Amino acid sequence: MSGEGRQPDRQPDDWDHQTDHQGFTNAAWSIPSYLLSGMAVYGGIGWLLDRWLGTSALLPIGILVGLGLALYLVYHRYGR
């Protein structure tokens, strides 16, 4: 094989700024999405349980649990 169609190996200092910018943009959209969806899903579960059990404390607990799990996910995914 002659290596046609293969791109030459890139050195670490040859990275595109476009690739770095795209990764930052993806993270900038992903982090708030994780936080909002975690609060919405677990808050919704808390709201449903509140209605089913006739209580009023599970909605804020669900929102806080969702926020905590979302923060853990963000740390695990982007903080290392």
Side-chain angles (χ1 to χ4, degrees):
M1 299 188 123
S2 65
E4 288 182 27
R6 210 178 88 185
Q7 292 188 0
D9 293 334
R10 298 175 77 175
Q11 299 298 322
D13 55 345
D14 290 342
W15 295 109
D16 279 339
H17 292 290
Q18 173 112 9
T19 305
D20 291 339
H21 178 70
Q22 184 177 8
F24 177 76
T25 303
N26 289 341
W29 280 104
S30 295
I31 292 171
S33 298
Y34 286 143
L35 296 175
L36 290 174
S37 63
M39 290 189 304
V41 168
Y42 283 95
I45 291 170
W47 179 77
L48 288 173
L49 287 172
D50 273 341
R51 294 199 44 144
W52 184 50
L53 298 173
T55 61
S56 63
L58 296 178
L59 172 66
I61 291 172
I63 291 173
L64 291 176
V65 167
L67 181 62
L69 290 174
L71 287 172
Y72 171 75
L73 181 63
V74 167
Y75 171 74
H76 182 70
R77 185 145 188 202
Y78 298 107
R80 290 183 176 192

